[in-house]
Amino acid sequence: MSGWLNQLAERSKAVDSLSALTTDKRGFVVLDQRRSPEQCRPLLGLSGKQDFLTLFAGTSLSPLIEASPWLVEIDQGSEAWHYAEALCQKRLGWMCLPSSDQTLQSIANHLRTLFVLDDPHGGKSLINLQQPAVCMALLASVPFNAYSYWLSLFQLVATPTPQGQWLVWQPHAATPAVLDEWQLTTEMEAALKESQQAWWLSHMTNSPVSDVQASWLIKMKIVMESGITRSDHLKRLLPVITGEREAFSPQIKDVLNKSIPSRQKVQQLEHFV
C-alpha cells in the first residue's frame, strides 16, 4: 500500500452521514465552483447561507479569480447545508466545522496558505485544494506536525468518498502553536499525483480509497503512460489493472510498448482479462 493510503486509514474514519456530527451552529463548505458554476450558484440564494468569499481574491492568484474556489458560511442543518452536502458528493467540494473562535476571514486566510506551495524541485506548485481527492491526499500525506497545525482551526474536516460516505478528519490534542512555511515533500507530491487515479479506482471497484492497492496505482500509471487515458478504455482494462499479479507480464508490457493506436492496444489487452 502506498504510504499516504495507509495514513488515510489512520487519520480519518468513514461515516455514512454528517447529521450525527453537526450542531445547530455554523459550518463551511469549500466549493470547486469552476467545475460546475450552474450547480454551485443556487447555493448562494438558499436559506441558511450566511456569507461567502472568493478564496483567490486579494492573493497572487487573483488573475485566476473566475476559476477561484468559494468558501461559503452556512447554518448547519439548513436548506443550504443539505444542498452543499449534495454538491460535495458530486466531487464539487468538502465541508468543515470551525472552532468556536474562528471567522469566515480567519478560515479563508488559513486555507490560502495551501494553494501555492514550494515543491521538491525548487519551483512552486498550484494545489487544487477545493477538489475532494486532492484535499484527501494532502491530509493523508502531510507530515504529522503540519497535519495537526492545519486542522487546529477546525472541529473536524469532512471529505466525500466515491461510495457516498464521508471521511472525517479530526485534529489531535497536541498541536504546535506555529508552523514553518508550508512546502511539498516528495511524499505529498506523490500522493497528489496519485489522488485522481486512487479516487477512480475506488469508485470503479466500489472499494474504500484506503483499500486501493499500490500495485493498482503503479499499473494504472504504466497503462496511461502508454497512451491509454480515456475513461472508457481504462474501464475495459480494469481487470488487468486490478489483477492479483503485482506487475504486468512480459506479454502485456509488449502490447503496451507497441506503436499502435490506443484503441488497438485495449483490444489486444482485453485478451488477458
Side-chain angles (χ1 to χ4, degrees), residues 73-140:
E73 184 175 358
I74 310 172
D75 292 335
Q76 296 177 39
S78 67
E79 181 185 19
W81 179 267
H82 293 304
Y83 188 82
E85 284 185 301
L87 290 177
C88 292
Q89 290 296 344
K90 296 177 181 179
R91 293 187 68 184
L92 292 175
W94 49 270
M95 306 186 80
C96 57
L97 304 184
S99 300
S100 59
D101 58 340
Q102 298 305 317
T103 65
L104 178 74
Q105 191 62 56
S106 67
I107 295 293
N109 292 340
H110 198 57
L111 295 175
R112 284 166 173 158
T113 63
L114 284 176
F115 282 115
V116 178
L117 297 180
D118 293 336
D119 62 37
H121 316 290
K124 292 185 179 295
S125 294
L126 176 64
I127 310 300
N128 292 311
L129 184 66
Q130 67 275 20
Q131 297 179 6
V134 170
C135 184
M136 172 190 68
L138 195 69
L139 287 171

Side-chain angles (χ1 to χ4, degrees), residues 147-196:
Y147 171 82
S148 297
Y149 173 78
W150 192 73
L151 285 183
S152 63
L153 270 63
F154 306 101
Q155 295 178 44
L156 62 83
V157 169
T159 54
T161 75
Q163 287 72 43
Q165 296 178 306
W166 296 87
L167 287 181
V168 174
W169 310 76
Q170 294 179 303
H172 297 282
T175 302
V178 296
L179 183 71
D180 292 336
E181 185 176 354
W182 278 90
Q183 62 180 21
L184 282 180
T185 64
T186 302
E187 292 76 15
M188 292 166 65
E189 185 179 52
L192 293 175
K193 288 180 177 178
E194 293 176 344
S195 61
Q196 305 301 330

Side-chain angles (χ1 to χ4, degrees), residues 33-34 54-69 116 126:
Q33 61 83 27
R34 178 190 61 84
T54 305
L55 284 169
F56 287 175
T59 74
S60 61
L61 295 173
S62 57
L64 304 176
I65 195 73
E66 292 186 1
S68 173
V116 178
L126 176 64

